[in-house]
Amino acid sequence: MGVLYCEGCWNFEREALQAINAQFLMPLSWGNGTDCCQWERVYCNSTTRRVSKLDLSDVAYHYWHPNYTDFLVFQDLKSLSLGSNDIAYCLQNEGMRLNNLEELDLGDNSLNTSTAILSCVDGFSSLKSLSLDSNWFDANSSTLVHAAFQTLSSNLLSLEVLDVGNNHFSNDLLAALGGFNSLKNLSLSGTGLISDSAPHIQGLFSKLINLEVLDMSWNNFSGKNDIAASLSALSSLKSLDLGVNQMTLHSILSNVTLCRHN
């Protein structure tokens, strides 16, 4: 049987990393050593010495279309960051075979104006944390985005953390998030929510009964009564951020820590 690893790094994983790196216009400085566990942005399981976390954010510098087939070799991969790479869509998504992936960051791939970036999430049924912030989800495409989020929620049954901040959410899009009923942490920061959204927010929160951390900062609420009734449905809530809204914060929920912005 041939040697599968050398100096702490599995050979086939090192070769896969080098192949992915070659796709970037300005490759990372990998290759100055045979142990890929020591390379920048690469983290390994201390026991198996296999890659468990990859940070490939802000590295492509051009329109990159990740091919998930390139990542299938990383069977211990738990965390993958692909943010800020101008990703519009992903190729040959076979994510269901990355059975251990728990965290996926696709934030700030802002070329997308509808649902194409959501194809990069298909198949990752093991996800617990997903970031889709700053992807220009457009209220004008609300029907498409609504359907895409409904499909995602039916597949991501273990999702606990969801960041969709800095997108433009219509009331219809709020309703589409109701299927993520295992959420414990939700960011709706900077999504253009207004006082008229309160009934739709209340409908959403009535389904998110496990929510513990909620960020609705940088929106356009104008008074505490706009969302007080909605928040009362969140019996598990522990932390609430309503900073940078046109409202005076009161003790809406006695057991909740209110985050403030100076």
Side-chain angles (χ1 to χ4, degrees):
M1 182 176 179
V3 177
L4 296 179
Y5 62 92
C6 179
E7 297 184 23
C9 180
W10 291 79
N11 291 343
F12 55 87
E13 293 198 336
R14 182 179 64 249
E15 292 168 359
L17 287 171
Q18 291 171 331
I20 292 171
N21 198 28
Q23 300 173 21
F24 304 143
L25 188 63
M26 297 179 65
L28 294 165
S29 56
W30 290 345
N32 296 325
T34 57
D35 185 0
C36 61
C37 296
Q38 300 299 317
W39 292 353
E40 63 175 325
R41 300 177 180 233
V42 179
Y43 307 85
C44 293
N45 182 302
S46 60
T47 301
T48 66
R49 304 301 295 170
R50 298 194 63 167
V51 175
S52 60
K53 178 179 179 180
L54 269 178
D55 180 1
L56 299 179
S57 58
D58 197 20
V59 293
Y61 297 104
H62 68 306
Y63 302 165
W64 184 38
H65 302 144
N67 188 332
Y68 280 133
T69 301
D70 297 335
F71 294 88
L72 295 181
V73 65
F74 307 115
Q75 288 299 302
D76 282 5
L77 190 65
K78 291 183 177 297
S79 178
L80 177 62
S81 179
L82 301 176
S84 303
N85 281 312
D86 287 344
I87 296 172
Y89 60 88
C90 296
L91 299 171
Q92 298 182 29
N93 186 356
E94 298 182 38
M96 66 288 296
R97 292 173 59 186
L98 288 173
N99 296 323
N100 292 313
L101 193 68
E102 297 180 353
E103 301 177 1
L104 178 62
D105 183 357
L106 291 167
D108 196 24
N109 286 292
S110 55
L111 290 178
N112 177 54
T113 56
S114 58
T115 62
I117 192 66
L118 296 180
S119 69
C120 295
V121 191
D122 290 344
F124 293 111
S125 59
S126 58
L127 279 187
K128 294 182 178 179
S129 177
L130 173 63
S131 178
L132 293 166
D133 70 289
S134 305
N135 273 301
W136 291 69
F137 295 132
D138 193 341
N140 294 326
S141 303
S142 60
T143 300
L144 291 174
V145 179
H146 187 137
F149 271 111
Q150 283 189 317
T151 299
L152 281 182
S153 66
S154 66
N155 294 327
L156 304 182
L157 301 180
S158 299
L159 196 69
E160 296 181 353
V161 179
L162 176 62
D163 184 353
V164 289
N166 299 307
N167 290 291
H168 187 189
F169 265 58
S170 67
N171 292 333
D172 286 344
L173 300 190
L174 279 175
L177 301 179
F180 296 101
N181 49 28
S182 60
L183 284 185
K184 294 182 178 179
N185 187 322
L186 172 64
S187 176
L188 293 168
S189 176
T191 49
L193 299 178
I194 59 176
S195 299
D196 290 345
S197 302
H200 302 274
I201 294 172
Q202 186 171 3
L204 170 62
F205 291 167
S206 67
K207 299 176 182 178
L208 303 182
I209 59 175
N210 297 308
L211 202 63
E212 297 179 358
V213 179
L214 174 62
D215 185 354
M216 292 199 298
S217 60
W218 295 92
N219 282 295
N220 299 297
F221 300 118
S222 58
K224 72 182 183 69
N225 291 329
D226 293 342
I227 57 172
S230 305
L231 295 172
S232 65
L234 298 174
S235 59
S236 299
L237 196 64
K238 297 178 181 178
S239 178
L240 171 64
D241 191 342
L242 291 171
V244 197
N245 279 285
Q246 299 177 19
M247 61 188 301
T248 301
L249 297 182
H250 293 266
S251 182
I252 298 174
L253 295 175
S254 60
N255 62 330
V256 172
T257 298
L258 292 176
C259 302
R260 300 175 183 271
H261 296 244
N262 295 323

